[in-house]
């Protein structure tokens, strides 16, 4: 037995048997558009206007979460809002689609208490911040943001009570994570840029009004809110040492970069140097982006970082990072091998070749075919309607990308095999991933500006073996955000993290799916978890092709689960 590593058999934790939904619609491609069959008819509104406020083209968040704890993932869609000269014919409302099973959803935002906010909406971060067993919601926007506490499937707006309004700021991506390891989830909010609806900035392209480049909008300081328990937070931005790091932050992922057991932050910033905020384990962070050589491209330019995700794409046990950028900049892949600097694999991985002409937003590392390595899905869409007048290779509406990993961190563009949606142009923004039909593979959804969203059902992942995990912390935060999970089989080792944030304005299924590869599943499966609290546990004898709920062992003094 490994010292300090508890070993538990499967009878000591709860196995969640999940129903599998039959295939919907017509065959063709790895992902099937089931938006209409699912009953999703809500449309996004971004207040597009002659004033060309930059916020009109940067909105578009969404998230998968099981808000009613029925074992089925629901879908939250964040609406934008009106601008002074961009008015809606109907009230601008968010949508919460409750998963009713059999591939169908029902819109329940009004009855759940989350249909309206008084600000222009951007993104969502869902997590159980009060450790009561259900998923709460933080919605970002301009000029404030809002926290909704989940009380058994009905939400109460508790922003002022909690002290997390983020007033006067343009909130974008957000991440829940426990940076001080006290068992309570803290909140990091990316703040983007200074904006005024009353004083729009004027720019032109090819003689027509267009959105001004981001660099003429001064960046803002992102915010860190420390969870004090009992439903309140303190603004710890200055105390944590990040109050002097202004910049146009859009995306964030929380992951333990240096494997010291304390969660760090990677922040993607638009025309500002990207940040790697290393947790110093004393309540403060240090930006080591320059040391890690991730802040700028090889020419010393700050890229237009939008979305970011983390995962081990080459199987070496360290979290690598994918970042989406503007066309001609390429979407970036950073390889982490345990020390600094990171290695820029943008060209050698194939990402430069596959992404040069695209403006990228949402990004997700996912093993879509359950072949044991992490692939990449990226959604794209330009911001300039006039771009096709001067570029023959760049379009306004752009297709999503599905990039298959060869197992060593090199990617092949297989979008032509992914389904009809991948052959069409979209103004896509947020991308969320989650197994909404509980068949053992990651499905996805993405927002399109001013249109209905797209829900895509994965049709191929369930053909391979898999094991799904839902972690539950007791000493650690209930969602186990920050956990490091190692799966060992006769076919080798895989590693995953329970991430905070990730992507662009999105919140993902918190469950972890390990693909076991094609053919018969391996006979022996061992799961090793380092919980956010620092404790280590091993679980053995897990059956394949089902979800397992693994609860953190706790001494008698620890909080009991209700």
């Amino acid at each position: 037995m490994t010292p300090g590593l508890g070993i538990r058999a499967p009878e000591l934790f709860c196995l969640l048997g999940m129903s599998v939904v039959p295939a919907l619609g017509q065959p063709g491609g790895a992902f099937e558009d089931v938006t209409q069959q699912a009953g999703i008819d809500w449309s996004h509104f971004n207040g597009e206007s002659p004033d060309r406020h930059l916020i009109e083209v940067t909105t578009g968040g969404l998230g998968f979460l099981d808000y009613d704890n029925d074992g089925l993932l629901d879908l939250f869609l964040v609406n934008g809002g009106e601008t002074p000269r961009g008015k809606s014919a109907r009230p601008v409302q968010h949508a919460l689609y409750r998963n009713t099973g059999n591939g169908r959803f029902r819109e329940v935002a009004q009855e759940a208490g989350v249909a309206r906010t008084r600000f222009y909406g951007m993104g969502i971060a869902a997590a159980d911040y009060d450790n009561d067993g259900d998923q709460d919601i933080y919605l970002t926007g301009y000029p404030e943001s809002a926290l909704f506490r989940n009380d058994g499937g009905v939400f109460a707006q508790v922003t002022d009570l909690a002290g997390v309004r983020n007033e006067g700021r343009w909130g974008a991506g957000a991440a829940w994570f426990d940076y001080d390891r006290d068992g309570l989830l803290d909140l990091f909010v990316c703040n983007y840029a200074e904006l005024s609806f009353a004083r729009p900035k004027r720019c032109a392209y090819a003689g027509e009004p267009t959105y001004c480049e981001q660099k003429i909008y001064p960046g803002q300081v992102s915010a860190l809110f420390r969870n004090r328990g009992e439903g309140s937070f303190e603004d710890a931005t200055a105390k944590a040492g990040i109050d002097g790091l202004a910049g146009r932050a859009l995306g964030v992922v929380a992951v333990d970069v240096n494997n010291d057991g304390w969660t760090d932050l990677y922040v993607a910033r638009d025309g500002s140097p990207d940040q790697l905020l290393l947790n110093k384990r004393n309540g403060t962070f240090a930006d080591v982006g320059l040391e890690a050589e991730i802040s700028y491209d090889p020419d010393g330019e700050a890229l237009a970082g939008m979305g970011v995700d983390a995962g081990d794409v080459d199987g070496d046990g360290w979290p690598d990072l994918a970042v989406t950028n503007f066309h001609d900049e390429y979407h970036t892949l950073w390889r982490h091998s345990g020390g600094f600097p990171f290695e820029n694999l943008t060209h050698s991985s194939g990402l430069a070749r596959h992404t040069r002409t695209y403006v990228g937003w949402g990004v997700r590392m996912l093993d879509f075919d359950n072949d044991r390595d992490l692939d990449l899905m990226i959604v794209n869409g330009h911001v300039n309607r006039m771009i096709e007048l001067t570029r023959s290779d760049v379009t306004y509406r752009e297709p999503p990308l599905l990039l298959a990993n060869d197992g060593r961190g090199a990617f092949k563009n297989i979008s032509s095999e992914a389904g009809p949606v991948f052959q069409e142009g979209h103004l896509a923004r947020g991308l969320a991933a989650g197994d909404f039909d509980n068949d053992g593979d990651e499905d996805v959804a993405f927002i399109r500006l001013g249109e209905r969203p797209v829900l895509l059902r994965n049709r191929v992942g369930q053909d391979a073996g898999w094991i799904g995990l839902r972690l539950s912390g007791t000493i650690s935060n209930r969602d186990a955000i920050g956990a490091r999970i190692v799966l060992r089989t006769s076919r080798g080792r895989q590693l995953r993290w329970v991430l905070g944030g990730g992507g662009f304005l999105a919140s993902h299924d918190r469950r972890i799916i390990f693909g076991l590869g094609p053919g018969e599943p391996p006979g022996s499966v061992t799961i090793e978890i380092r919980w956010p609290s620092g404790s280590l546990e091993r679980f053995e004898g897990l059956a394949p092709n089902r979800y397992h709920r693994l609860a953190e062992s706790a001494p008698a003094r620890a909080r009991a689960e209700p």
Side-chain angles (χ1 to χ4, degrees):
M1 179 184 298
T2 304
L5 186 66
I7 300 179
R8 295 168 62 185
E11 64 266 22
L12 298 183
F13 53 83
C14 176
L15 300 178
L16 299 180
M18 298 295 191
S19 61
V20 175
V21 178
L24 300 172
Q26 300 300 316
F31 288 88
E32 180 183 8
D33 184 352
V34 295
T35 315
Q36 184 174 351
Q37 298 97 311
I40 296 174
D41 56 6
W42 171 94
S43 288
H44 182 264
F45 183 80
N46 66 333
E48 184 175 348
S49 73
D51 296 317
R52 300 293 192 264
H53 298 286
L54 189 57
I55 199 170
E56 298 167 10
V57 290
T58 56
T59 181
L62 76 169
F64 280 111
L65 70 157
D66 181 8
Y67 87 98
D68 54 358
N69 273 334
D70 66 352
L72 297 169
L73 281 182
D74 313 299
L75 181 62
F76 195 100
L77 304 166
V78 183
N79 221 333
E82 294 183 324
T83 60
R85 291 202 291 168
K87 300 299 184 182
S88 175
R90 64 183 71 179
V92 179
Q93 297 191 157
H94 311 299
L96 175 58
Y97 278 94
R98 179 177 178 269
N99 191 337
T100 59
N102 297 317
R104 299 286 299 178
F105 290 77
R106 182 172 69 88
E107 211 288 302
V108 297
Q110 194 71 43
E111 59 190 79
V114 289
R116 300 288 299 274
T117 48
R118 63 186 186 185
F119 51 84
Y120 192 107
M122 287 288 291
I124 177 174
D128 184 7
Y129 80 89
D130 51 3
N131 287 329
D132 67 349
D134 49 32
Q135 293 291 288
D136 311 296
I137 291 173
Y138 189 76
L139 299 182
T140 62
Y142 169 78
E144 59 187 81
S145 301
L147 178 63
F148 290 87
R149 186 186 66 220
N150 189 340
D151 294 328
V154 177
F155 292 86
Q157 209 264 59
V158 295
T159 313
D160 290 331
L161 179 66
V164 290
R165 183 171 295 283
N166 201 37
E167 191 167 6
R169 300 163 179 168
W170 179 353
W176 293 99
F177 73 125
D178 182 8
Y179 78 92
D180 52 2
R181 299 205 336 184
D182 64 353
L184 300 170
L185 287 176
D186 312 299
L187 177 64
F188 182 88
V189 182
C190 293
N191 287 317
Y192 185 54
E194 296 180 13
L195 179 71
S196 171
F197 284 149
R199 297 182 299 278
K201 298 183 184 296
R202 308 291 186 187
C203 294
Y205 185 90
E208 296 293 332
T210 190
Y211 297 98
C212 296
E213 69 167 347
Q214 82 282 54
K215 291 183 180 179
I216 73 169
Y217 293 84
Q220 295 184 315
V221 173
S222 294
L224 177 65
F225 297 101
R226 179 181 173 272
N227 192 337
R228 294 185 293 205
E230 305 301 326
S232 72
F233 293 74
E234 67 168 310
D235 188 337
T237 309
K239 189 180 297 184
I242 58 178
D243 56 328
L245 304 176
R248 289 169 292 270
L250 282 175
V252 59
V253 63
V255 62
D256 181 7
V257 169
N258 57 356
N259 197 28
D260 67 350
W262 295 73
T263 306
D264 313 297
L265 296 169
Y266 187 105
V267 184
R269 305 202 300 179
D270 186 10
S272 303
D274 287 354
Q275 296 174 309
L276 181 56
L277 301 179
L278 209 62
N279 191 330
K280 304 302 290 181
R281 300 184 288 182
N282 60 1
T284 69
F285 291 82
D287 184 4
V288 296
L290 290 177
E291 179 185 352
E293 296 185 5
I294 55 85
S295 296
Y296 300 94
D297 73 359
D299 296 324
E301 296 292 329
L303 302 179
M306 278 79 132
V308 59
D309 203 16
D312 182 10
V313 300
D314 57 357
D316 68 352
W318 293 93
D320 309 301
L321 298 153
V323 187
T324 55
N325 301 301
F326 212 72
H327 71 70
D328 296 335
E329 295 181 343
Y330 320 122
H331 303 346
T332 309
L333 180 65
W334 294 110
R335 178 178 181 266
H336 182 33
S337 57
F340 296 157
F342 281 58
E343 183 181 0
N344 190 330
L345 296 187
T346 302
H347 287 273
S348 62
S349 68
L351 233 61
R353 180 173 68 256
H354 302 319
T355 67
R356 183 186 65 82
T357 62
Y358 296 115
V359 177
W361 302 88
V363 55
R364 178 69 171 174
M365 293 184 180
L366 75 170
D367 183 4
F368 82 96
D369 52 1
N370 281 337
D371 69 348
R372 303 181 62 249
D373 50 51
L374 288 176
D375 312 296
L376 274 173
M377 186 179 290
I378 302 169
V379 294
N380 309 286
H382 215 281
V383 300
N384 185 353
R385 288 183 179 274
M386 315 303 293
I387 188 65
E388 294 170 28
L389 296 178
T390 60
R391 292 286 296 262
S392 60
D393 58 336
V394 179
T395 59
Y396 179 51
R397 295 178 177 271
E398 300 176 328
L401 292 170
L402 181 61
L403 307 178
N405 190 347
D406 69 355
R408 299 180 298 276
F411 293 87
K412 176 183 178 182
N413 188 349
I414 60 166
S415 302
S416 61
E417 306 165 33
V421 166
F422 292 78
Q423 314 310 312
E424 304 164 352
H426 309 275
L427 299 179
R429 295 300 185 260
L431 169 73
D435 184 10
F436 79 83
D437 52 4
N438 286 328
D439 65 351
D441 53 31
E442 287 197 77
D443 311 297
V444 297
F446 63 88
I447 289 282
R448 301 183 294 180
L449 293 184
E451 298 181 70
R452 191 171 66 171
V454 175
L455 177 65
L456 295 174
R457 180 177 181 268
N458 188 330
R459 302 177 65 253
V460 298
Q462 66 269 30
D463 295 339
W466 59 277
I467 281 183
L469 306 178
R470 179 184 173 187
L471 305 191
S472 181
T474 51
I475 304 171
S476 304
N477 66 85
R478 179 65 67 92
D479 285 340
I481 294 174
R484 181 180 185 270
I485 309 122
V486 179
L487 174 140
R488 299 181 190 275
T489 72
S490 59
R491 295 174 181 168
R493 182 185 78 157
Q494 295 181 61
L495 197 145
R496 299 283 191 274
W497 293 262
V498 181
L499 303 174
F504 176 77
L505 306 180
S507 197
H508 308 284
D509 189 353
R510 200 76 68 197
R511 296 173 297 179
I512 300 293
I513 298 174
F514 285 101
L516 300 178
E520 287 296 318
S524 175
V525 175
T526 299
I527 297 289
E528 296 173 358
I529 300 174
R530 186 180 67 196
W531 296 92
S533 65
S535 65
L536 300 173
E537 284 190 273
R538 179 184 295 163
F539 298 85
E540 297 180 334
L542 278 70
N545 302 325
R546 67 184 303 172
Y547 281 100
H548 303 261
R549 180 166 181 164
L550 307 185
E552 180 184 20
S553 290
R557 66 179 182 277
R559 295 186 303 274
E561 294 192 80

